[in-house]
Amino acid sequence: MQVVLAQPRGFCAGVIRAIDIVERALERHGAPVYVRHEIVHNQHVVESLRAKGARFVEDLAEVPAGSLTIFSAHGVSLAVEREAEARELRVIDATCPLVSKVHLEGKRYVAQGRTVILIGHAGHAEVEGTLGQIPGHTYLVSSVDDVKALPLAPDTPIAYVTQTTLSVDDTRCVIGALKGRFADIVGPETKDICYATQNRQAAVRELAKVADLILVVGSPNSSNSNRLREIGEELGVPSYLVPDEHAINPAWLVGCGVVGVTAGASAPEVLVDGVVAALRRLAPIDLSTLPGIVEEVQFRLPETLA
């Protein structure tokens, strides 16, 4: 059996920065360090940091007053920031710089007098944070049908921003629907979708050209990992999201000559290694990696930890 790895795959710069922030905070300040929401959407990463002394909470009310608190890579709303300040929490912000960029864009569009529309998935931590960062009412859409249902006049001055982990193709369709409905509209096209998300989506498209089956390593609550699986399926290749090697069903592999493997931006390479090892236990394999982009992007740590 041939096993072909996508390139690039796995951790992006924003995820590396967020994990580094938690680890450095633990080294510098000692345990416990409180983290609002999962620092990134990967259970392996969360459990590893929990073992080192990180405590993950969904509500700041769970954090003792004055404690060191880290905001996750997905970002938080202004209301959460104000609550942290009121409770005198010592805050380190691990929001991905590309998510922060979307927040700034939304605020700039509001200042221009435009109604802002956020393209994204309801309930996702990044979307909740972005909605809470942009002043006034922001409309959330995730599909062409949502665009049709917007209670806005065609001459309304519109601006749109996007969640950073969406499918590029799906987002283009929604943007096209917005442009078809509103005459006065501005936005960043698909540039708000982060470079790592776009690179991994392009890589899985290349993988689909050669693979009989695609395994996407990532957690079920990881938006960008789910998009990779969906793209493989859309291209006609059976694709499965696997949190780790234990989720592999040997029945999937029957009759497969080439198995493609990729990983979402929040999945560590050790999980990919585990999947490859599991495949090797099932059959002799020939392992290779597709040519692709080598990412060299790095994000600075906050000054308090640099």
Side-chain angles (χ1 to χ4, degrees):
M1 181 169 60
Q2 293 185 51
V3 176
V4 183
L5 303 179
Q7 173 64 31
R9 63 183 181 275
F11 277 176
C12 65
V15 166
I16 292 171
R17 176 180 180 269
I19 295 170
D20 284 349
I21 285 173
V22 178
E23 291 182 335
R24 289 209 184 194
L26 286 165
E27 291 171 4
R28 185 162 298 185
H29 301 283
V33 166
Y34 292 86
V35 184
R36 187 188 179 278
H37 194 62
E38 294 182 353
I39 187 66
V40 297
H41 284 160
N42 185 274
Q43 200 59 38
H44 176 90
V45 172
V46 168
E47 292 304 325
S48 174
L49 293 174
R50 184 177 281 124
K52 296 176 182 179
R55 296 186 183 178
F56 295 90
V57 301
E58 291 300 319
D59 192 329
L60 290 185
E62 303 173 56
V63 181
S67 297
L68 183 64
T69 307
I70 297 173
F71 294 155
S72 79
H74 312 97
V76 300
S77 66
L78 289 171
V80 171
E81 292 179 355
R82 290 172 185 142
E83 182 184 356
E85 184 177 357
R87 301 194 64 245
E88 298 183 341
L89 302 179
R90 295 173 292 148
V91 171
I92 301 175
D93 191 355
T95 301
C96 174
L98 299 180
V99 174
S100 297
K101 172 176 167 285
V102 175
H103 296 172
L104 292 173
E105 285 176 344
K107 293 173 182 176
R108 177 165 53 85
Y109 289 139
V110 169
Q112 294 171 358
R114 294 184 176 275
T115 297
V116 177
I117 295 172
L118 170 61
I119 305 171
H121 296 296
H124 190 275
E126 180 188 328
V127 167
E128 295 299 318
T130 301
L131 289 172
Q133 281 283 338
I134 301 173
H137 182 72
T138 299
Y139 291 89
L140 176 64
V141 300
S142 60
S143 66
V144 171
D145 287 341
D146 290 343
V147 173
K148 294 176 182 177
L150 285 169
L152 299 169
D155 60 350
T156 305
I158 295 294
Y160 64 85
V161 293
T162 80
Q163 182 181 339
T164 63
T165 55
L166 300 178
S167 160
V168 175
D169 288 344
D170 289 348
T171 305
R172 284 198 183 106
C173 289
V174 176
I175 292 172
L178 287 169
K179 289 183 174 180
R181 180 166 174 194
F182 300 102
D184 185 1
I185 182 169
V186 296
E189 295 300 322
T190 58
K191 291 179 183 176
D192 277 349
I193 298 176
C194 91
Y195 76 94
T197 297
Q198 296 196 52
N199 289 347
R200 280 150 191 74
Q201 290 179 12
V204 85
R205 290 181 184 282
E206 293 302 311
L207 200 59
K209 295 177 181 179
V210 299
D212 302 314
L213 173 88
I214 293 176
L215 299 177
V216 179
V217 183
S219 291
N221 61 338
S222 166
S223 175
N224 74 87
S225 299
N226 277 287
R227 300 295 83 73
L228 296 178
R229 185 200 63 77
E230 290 170 0
I231 289 171
E233 289 283 352
E234 289 167 2
L235 294 172
V237 181
S239 301
Y240 300 92
L241 183 65
V242 292
D244 55 39
E245 62 191 272
H246 303 295
I248 298 173
N249 183 346
W252 297 340
L253 306 172
V254 175
C256 289
V258 182
V259 176
V261 178
T262 188
S266 52
E269 186 67 10
V270 65
L271 297 182
V272 175
D273 294 340
V275 165
V276 171
L279 294 174
R280 186 175 279 116
R281 289 193 293 270
L282 293 171
I285 68 170
D286 178 14
L287 182 65
S288 62
T289 301
L290 287 180
I293 295 170
V294 177
E295 294 172 343
E296 298 180 347
V297 177
Q298 295 181 339
F299 293 137
R300 293 181 180 179
L301 294 175
E303 290 184 6
T304 54
L305 294 176

